[in-house]
Amino acid sequence: MLETGTKAPDFELPDQNGKMHRLSDYAGKKVILYFYPKDNTPGCTKQACGFSERYPQFTEKGAVVLGVSKDTVASHKKFEEKYGLAFTLLADPERKVIEAYDVWKEKKNYGKVSMGVVRTTYLIDEKGIIIKANDKVKAADDPEKMLGEV
């Protein structure tokens, strides 16, 4: 996990519609950049729907929400349409940004060890500095918690 007070690495990734986004596109706004393991899984769906429900409140506070996983653009599109998500999902199948943000880690699940995305949320300020970093994310609670941090 990257430390608070450090400059957030810039990146370029496609969204669920294939449009490219850079972190630098959002200079002047707060960015909630959250990394999640997989589209259409129970925890990830709860987290995404929570951010979507609160999206108007985030925009009122001058913040944007960007969700990142290693799923494809097509997978993100289906996920967005299925749940009517109101924010941007970024596809990182090559894990460039996932690794730049240090969220690709060894995970243990029922005694089995594998590599995967550790659910992590960063709050990045208007100048591109990480002001909050949380890798102990509870999917259902994260959107409300982050709304309080913005």
Side-chain angles (χ1 to χ4, degrees), residues 40-57:
N40 287 304
T41 55
C44 298
T45 299
K46 274 192 191 112
Q47 188 177 21
C49 289
F51 275 121
S52 191
E53 285 162 21
R54 292 165 184 80
Y55 196 67
Q57 293 155 279

Side-chain angles (χ1 to χ4, degrees), residues 1-63:
M1 183 172 74
L2 301 179
E3 296 297 313
T4 57
T6 60
K7 182 111 176 102
D10 200 5
F11 57 78
E12 183 176 52
L13 288 175
D15 69 11
Q16 65 268 35
N17 299 308
K19 179 179 180 254
M20 297 306 283
H21 292 257
R22 290 184 181 86
L23 181 61
S24 53
D25 295 342
Y26 299 99
K29 291 184 175 212
K30 286 188 176 163
V31 176
I32 289 123
L33 183 65
Y34 84 94
F35 293 87
Y36 64 99
K38 189 148 182 51
D39 290 343
N40 287 304
T41 55
C44 298
T45 299
K46 274 192 191 112
Q47 188 177 21
C49 289
F51 275 121
S52 191
E53 285 162 21
R54 292 165 184 80
Y55 196 67
Q57 293 155 279
F58 282 110
T59 55
E60 274 173 27
K61 292 182 167 199

Side-chain angles (χ1 to χ4, degrees), residues 57-106:
Q57 293 155 279
F58 282 110
T59 55
E60 274 173 27
K61 292 182 167 199
V64 295
V65 176
L66 303 173
V68 181
S69 80
K70 64 183 190 64
D71 294 299
T72 63
V73 168
S75 174
H76 280 347
K77 189 65 184 168
K78 286 182 191 145
F79 190 41
E80 174 206 34
E81 288 174 348
K82 184 173 181 181
Y83 295 102
L85 301 177
F87 62 93
T88 302
L89 297 172
L90 299 174
D92 188 16
E94 279 104 51
R95 301 193 317 255
K96 287 185 182 121
V97 178
I98 288 167
E99 290 181 19
Y101 278 81
D102 197 28
V103 298
W104 186 253
K105 303 273 189 195
E106 192 175 271

